[in-house]
Amino acid sequence: LDVQSAVINAFSDWDVMILDTIAGQLAIAVQNARLYTSIQQEVIERRRAEQALQFAKEALEIQVEARTAELRNTNEQLQVELAERNRAEEKLVYTALHDPLTNLPNRVLFMDRLRHAMEHAKRHKDHKFAVLFLDLDRFKVVNDSLGHNIGDLLLIESTRRLAACLRSEDIVARLGGDEF
């Protein structure tokens, strides 16, 4: 007990005040260390969250780019298919209205143009037009004696010569066989 009393008596009020100040500063330092550790942990968690968000953003951008490329390719394929379909439709319309051998308008197209000319003549009394029907004499003899290939060549040459005699507003059509 004497030792304790000697120790207690050894500290003056000044020493106690200094020890009390040191203890207060130490408490503040411990509190600051805890706060610093907590903030450090928050910063680490925030960085992890930002990295995860950045990773998710990059993954999403990659998915968007891949889907955009896929859609672009699909669109290009659809454009090609649409162009092919349009060409096929145009070809069907053309073949429905033209003779395959001479590429001249066929009977269907000729009759349509003739109907238009007749309607135009009804509306405009001063409009005149004419129809000339040509039939190649003895064409069957050429086909039978020289063959269908020569007959086809004769039809093609006849077409070329008839077309050379026309104006831009005139039409020559193959109605069938050797009839123009």
Side-chain angles (χ1 to χ4, degrees), residues 63-76:
Q63 288 177 343
V64 167
E65 287 174 9
R67 184 66 177 145
T68 300
E70 181 183 329
L71 289 173
R72 187 178 305 114
N73 288 339
T74 301
N75 186 42
E76 288 171 1

Side-chain angles (χ1 to χ4, degrees), residues 68-105:
T68 300
E70 181 183 329
L71 289 173
R72 187 178 305 114
N73 288 339
T74 301
N75 186 42
E76 288 171 1
Q77 289 173 349
L78 287 173
Q79 293 296 327
V80 167
E81 288 177 21
L82 184 60
E84 288 173 1
R85 182 179 179 153
N86 286 339
R87 280 192 297 274
E89 286 177 6
E90 289 171 1
K91 186 176 180 180
L92 282 173
V93 168
Y94 184 85
T95 55
L97 300 175
H98 290 81
D99 174 62
L101 178 64
T102 62
N103 287 321
L104 288 177

Side-chain angles (χ1 to χ4, degrees), residues 132-159:
L132 175 64
F133 181 81
L134 297 174
D135 182 60
L136 299 180
D137 288 341
R138 293 185 288 281
F139 179 72
K140 184 174 177 1
V141 174
V142 172
N143 253 353
D144 290 344
S145 62
L146 300 175
H148 289 281
N149 288 342
I150 299 299
D152 288 349
L153 291 173
L154 177 62
L155 290 172
I156 292 168
E157 181 60 24
S158 299
T159 297

